[in-house]
Amino acid sequence: MSSPDADPAVSHFRHTSVLREGAVEALVHTAEGIYLDGTFGRGGHSRLILERLDASGRLLAMDRDPQAIEAAAAIDDSRFTITRRDFARLGEFAREQGVHGKLAGILLDIGVSSPQLDDAERGFSFMRNGPLDMRMDPTQGESAADFLAHASESDIAQVFKTYGEERYAKRLARAVVTRRIEKPFTHTVDLAEVLKAAHPAWEKGRHPATKAFQGLRIYLNGELDQLDAALDAALEALAPGGHLVVISFHSLEDRRVKRFIRHHVRGDTHLPKGVPIRDDQLNRRLEALGKGMRPDDAEVDANPRARSAVMRAARKRG
């Protein structure tokens, strides 16, 4: 998840938005509409959305990271409202605001933000030594250190393989369990070094702990389940004609988004053969707005973390 450079008064960590112009262009189709930024981050997309709205437009925003909520205090705009909660609960927020089924657009920018990666204290990065945490909301759930202290070798391997797509998951899990007997893992670089030493096939240009760290982060934060719930909630919260825009950063997320849009574009395809049915009875609820968009070379050069980003957009039929 990415946003523009953070306000220096809010954070000293630089935060560059990914597909910022393209995402907001696909999202905002009426200046007087009510929009929801389900992943505020440091406000990059939100600020640009507000620039595109007229005086009657509104923007709701959400984030479960308390630091994101602090950053939102820098936006002094009566059209803007933010709440601290995860985006899977966007339907709940829309109902509280009296706009459920009335939203002109919903933006979801999935994954970890640059400030979260760059802040060693958050424990997301294997490049900066800090407490082994990895929680988007540090007040909820268990940390990576807690999980690795008690999880079985098979459970750790499953997390590495399922959520990190790590080919050598079993081997890395064995190394973790063997090392924790003599000393528990408490810091990021310590874990990264053990994974690095155990990994038999390093990929050029990629740290050997990358996929395992990704797997831990996605599992601990329930990111894929959250995404599935958010997509379902977004479809119901949108007004007819409303736009859904989703930016994802790895294949596990993008496959889910692509599958969700395709399913609702095609409608009910499980009807018995030969049953006569009109096109409007197929319950086609979405219309795809083009194909997946990726950052151009200039954006990737300016922000290498944008390399894997994919944006998909759809319009709710009405």
Side-chain angles (χ1 to χ4, degrees), residues 22-41:
V24 175
E25 185 69 28
L27 180 74
V28 179
H29 56 98
T30 173
E32 67 273 12
I34 305 170
Y35 295 86
L36 187 149
D37 182 350
T39 46
F40 178 81

Side-chain angles (χ1 to χ4, degrees), residues 24-290:
V24 175
E25 185 69 28
L27 180 74
V28 179
H29 56 98
T30 173
E32 67 273 12
I34 305 170
Y35 295 86
L36 187 149
D37 182 350
T39 46
F40 178 81
R42 294 304 180 268
H45 293 108
S46 282
R47 287 182 174 86
L48 186 55
I49 292 168
L50 287 167
E51 290 179 12
R52 303 289 176 88
L53 301 184
D54 63 20
S56 63
R58 288 179 61 194
L59 175 62
L60 310 179
M62 308 172 62
D63 207 295
R64 59 175 162 173
D65 186 340
Q67 293 182 0
I69 303 303
E70 291 177 12
I75 297 181
D76 183 15
D77 193 316
S78 61
R79 301 171 299 167
F80 176 74
T81 303
I82 191 167
T83 187
R84 179 182 169 189
R85 69 188 84 181
D86 58 71
F87 60 55
R89 299 166 61 196
L90 66 85
E92 170 187 284
F93 184 34
R95 287 188 181 92
E96 291 173 1
Q97 296 295 314
V99 297
H100 193 265
K102 302 176 183 178
L103 292 171
I106 297 174
L107 172 66
L108 303 175
D109 184 3
I110 313 302
V112 63
S113 69
S114 293
Q116 288 169 330
L117 285 171
D118 294 337
D119 185 354
E121 293 302 308
R122 301 302 299 273
F124 287 106
S125 176
F126 45 77
M127 301 299 291
R128 295 172 174 81
N129 198 28
L132 190 58
D133 196 314
M134 296 194 189
R135 289 172 293 176
M136 299 284 190
D137 182 347
T139 68
Q140 300 292 323
E142 67 177 347
S143 67
D146 291 339
F147 172 73
L148 293 177
H150 70 75
S152 67
E153 181 178 321
S154 61
D155 284 347
I156 295 172
Q158 183 177 13
V159 167
F160 289 169
K161 181 179 180 179
T162 303
Y163 300 107
E165 299 182 296
E166 172 54 68
R167 180 181 178 185
Y168 300 99
K170 291 183 178 180
R171 181 166 180 160
L172 299 189
R174 189 177 308 117
V176 168
V177 171
T178 299
R179 212 312 292 276
R180 79 181 181 190
I181 294 174
E182 61 179 81
K183 180 183 177 183
F185 290 97
T186 59
H187 283 73
T188 53
V189 170
D190 183 22
L191 174 62
E193 288 300 312
V194 170
L195 295 171
K196 180 179 177 181
H199 205 293
W202 296 7
E203 296 180 44
K204 185 178 181 180
R206 172 176 284 187
H207 193 289
T210 299
K211 293 182 177 180
F213 266 65
Q214 172 188 295
L216 279 171
R217 191 203 81 222
I218 291 174
Y219 168 75
L220 292 169
N221 292 287
E223 292 179 36
L224 297 183
D225 289 340
Q226 292 249 321
L227 175 57
D228 289 340
L231 292 172
D232 288 337
L235 184 55
E236 301 305 323
L238 283 169
H243 290 194
L244 173 64
V245 177
V246 186
I247 303 171
S248 57
F249 286 83
H250 59 74
S251 59
L252 289 175
E253 296 168 341
D254 184 52
R255 283 198 295 267
R256 275 172 153 76
V257 176
K258 186 177 181 180
R259 185 169 60 241
F260 176 84
I261 293 175
R262 183 174 60 218
H263 170 73
H264 289 289
V265 166
R266 292 178 177 176
D268 190 352
T269 58
H270 301 292
L271 296 171
K273 290 183 178 180
V275 174
I277 187 169
R278 299 191 310 272
D279 188 66
D280 62 355
Q281 293 177 305
L282 289 172
N283 196 29
R284 292 173 172 163
R285 305 191 67 190
L286 289 176
E287 173 190 354
L289 297 175

